[in-house]
Amino acid sequence: LMDSIKADHGFNMDSKSVRNLLQTMSELSPAQRRDFLQFVTGSPKLPIGGFKSLTPMFTVVCKPSEPPYTSDDYLPSVMTCVNYLKLPDYTDLNVMRTRLYMAIREGQGAFHLS
């Protein structure tokens, strides 16, 4: 999984939020994996070759917060055309999971500019 993800714009592969995302992704059920994939790519199915074959490569970037809000106040957002996840730098794993699952659930069938 680590070889299939690029961390950029404020994150690297050693960032706490990226490690938490990888842990969360590795623990998803098959139905949750499908929902996550739909959320970040716009498609519920992987290309031949799996996650590492996504083109462009799945990229996770840091979504900045603006005062008076903190990262924990924001939901992650995506740019599905480029497999791009904008993830706030959440304070812990549980906050990240809660916000990510909420974004996936609320974003089902929706299209918004972020």
Side-chain angles (χ1 to χ4, degrees):
L1 195 55
M2 285 186 71
D3 295 336
S4 306
I5 294 176
K6 176 182 173 186
D8 209 353
H9 298 289
F11 282 148
N12 60 52
M13 292 306 291
D14 293 321
S15 298
K16 175 186 58 152
S17 289
V18 174
R19 289 193 321 266
N20 286 343
L21 176 66
L22 289 168
Q23 180 178 343
T24 299
M25 289 173 66
S26 70
E27 295 170 355
L28 294 174
S29 70
Q32 289 172 317
R33 286 181 192 166
R34 193 171 40 257
D35 291 344
F36 176 81
L37 193 60
Q38 177 76 45
F39 177 66
V40 298
T41 69
S43 173
K45 297 185 179 186
L46 287 169
I48 294 173
F51 203 75
K52 67 181 176 193
S53 296
L54 286 173
T55 305
M57 185 177 208
F58 177 61
T59 302
V60 183
V61 299
C62 187
K63 183 176 187 174
S65 59
E66 296 181 19
Y69 302 104
T70 68
S71 292
D72 290 351
D73 295 318
Y74 290 87
L75 292 176
S77 58
V78 296
M79 292 171 52
T80 57
C81 56
V82 290
N83 304 324
Y84 206 83
L85 175 64
K86 296 183 270 186
L87 186 70
D89 192 15
Y90 294 118
T91 54
D92 63 52
L93 178 62
N94 289 329
V95 172
M96 191 210 69
R97 283 184 176 155
T98 301
R99 298 291 186 266
L100 181 61
Y101 294 154
M102 181 183 297
I104 291 170
R105 186 177 60 251
E106 296 299 321
Q108 294 281 327
F111 178 82
H112 302 284
L113 297 176
S114 64

